[in-house]
Amino acid sequence: METTRLGDVMREIFLVQSAPEQWIIIAAGVLALLVVLARGPWRVARNVVTIVHEGGHALVALFCGRQLSGIRLHSDTSGVTVTRGRPDGVGMVLTVLAGYVAPSIVGLLGILMLAGDRITALLWISILLLLAMLLLIRNIYGVLSVVGTGLVIFGVSWFTPADVQAAFAYFFTWFLLVAGVRPVFELQAQRRSMPTPQSDADQLDRLTGVPGTAWVLLFGLINVAALGTGVWLLMF
């Protein structure tokens, strides 16, 4: 962006931008897939998935009338969102359910914005959500993770030309859609090798009486459906 006045900035943010060429959209999707599949890049990029995962817990908790105590993000890419309120019931179930489906749902919402050619708006909404989440972070690594992600998005949206913004926005959206699927497999593998009663699936088991494996399957079905819908919207 070259303008600095507030009014000009707002117009730039909500300006309709042309979609990039189809090969750029496809290349962004392939790159996102490679990041998710490659061990090294995934180890770093998974921090973004954790941010969205915990953000999903927090947002749904607020909608359900629960009080947020804080969010912690850890260097092993795990995280925890602490809420206060009734320990059972629909609100608690929805709060726990939201985490593993949040990246895919956010990715799908991002595609709807890209379909309307609101590329810069998508990037700035992401920044605003990260700023809101930053207020809830309760540990240093979490602060660094959220701030670092926000700075990358801000740098792209402020200092790069429209075609670079578009390529990045499509990559970021593709990444959330594809990356939403892998943690579900990781969750089930962890439940088999090192069971823990604190996993989202096992918490839902205790809350509802429905086996944890069934919840893992539901996570997977929702995320695969979101990915399939996203592919259809972007490619056809």
Side-chain angles (χ1 to χ4, degrees):
M1 295 184 182
E2 297 179 354
T3 54
T4 55
R5 290 185 302 172
L6 180 60
D8 292 334
V9 170
M10 295 303 294
R11 281 193 291 273
E12 287 277 351
I13 289 174
F14 291 101
L15 186 69
V16 174
Q17 297 170 271
S18 300
E21 296 182 36
Q22 189 72 1
W23 73 267
I24 295 178
I25 297 175
I26 295 173
V30 172
L31 179 59
L33 179 62
L34 291 175
V35 169
V36 172
L37 294 179
R39 179 177 296 181
W42 172 246
R43 177 65 180 77
V44 176
R46 200 186 191 287
N47 286 282
V48 177
V49 178
T50 304
I51 290 172
V52 181
H53 178 115
E54 300 304 330
H57 284 313
L59 185 61
V60 173
L62 287 175
F63 279 134
C64 292
R66 300 184 64 81
Q67 292 183 322
L68 283 172
S69 298
I71 298 172
R72 290 180 176 271
L73 306 173
H74 303 131
S75 59
D76 63 355
T77 71
S78 65
V80 60
T81 299
V82 180
T83 67
R84 295 196 303 269
R86 182 177 171 179
D88 54 15
V90 175
M92 187 62 185
V93 170
L94 292 176
T95 297
V96 179
L97 174 63
Y100 274 97
V101 301
S104 296
I105 298 300
V106 171
L108 193 56
L109 291 175
I111 284 181
L112 295 178
M113 291 197 67
L114 293 178
D117 296 327
R118 303 289 182 176
I119 294 170
T120 303
L122 170 63
L123 298 177
W124 275 81
I125 288 172
S126 300
I127 293 170
L128 292 176
L129 291 173
L130 286 168
L131 286 173
M133 187 173 180
L134 186 61
L135 300 176
L136 300 169
I137 299 296
R138 297 294 182 263
N139 66 325
I140 295 299
Y141 184 83
V143 170
L144 294 175
S145 185
V146 172
V147 170
T149 302
L151 286 176
V152 170
I153 299 175
F154 174 78
V156 171
S157 65
W158 191 263
F159 296 109
T160 65
D163 53 349
V164 175
Q165 292 182 35
F168 178 82
Y170 276 91
F171 164 75
F172 186 62
T173 305
W174 272 122
F175 171 75
L176 289 176
L177 281 174
V178 178
V181 177
R182 178 166 176 172
V184 178
F185 288 95
E186 294 176 342
L187 170 63
Q188 186 60 17
Q190 181 187 41
R191 294 180 70 244
R192 287 179 177 177
S193 63
M194 192 169 53
T196 170
Q198 299 305 315
S199 77
D200 289 2
D202 291 293
Q203 289 185 61
L204 288 167
D205 185 345
R206 293 194 301 275
L207 288 166
T208 65
V210 177
T213 302
W215 289 106
V216 174
L217 180 60
L218 179 62
F219 296 155
L221 289 175
I222 292 173
N223 292 354
V224 169
L227 175 59
T229 303
V231 171
W232 182 78
L233 289 173
L234 284 174
M235 304 302 298
F236 301 102

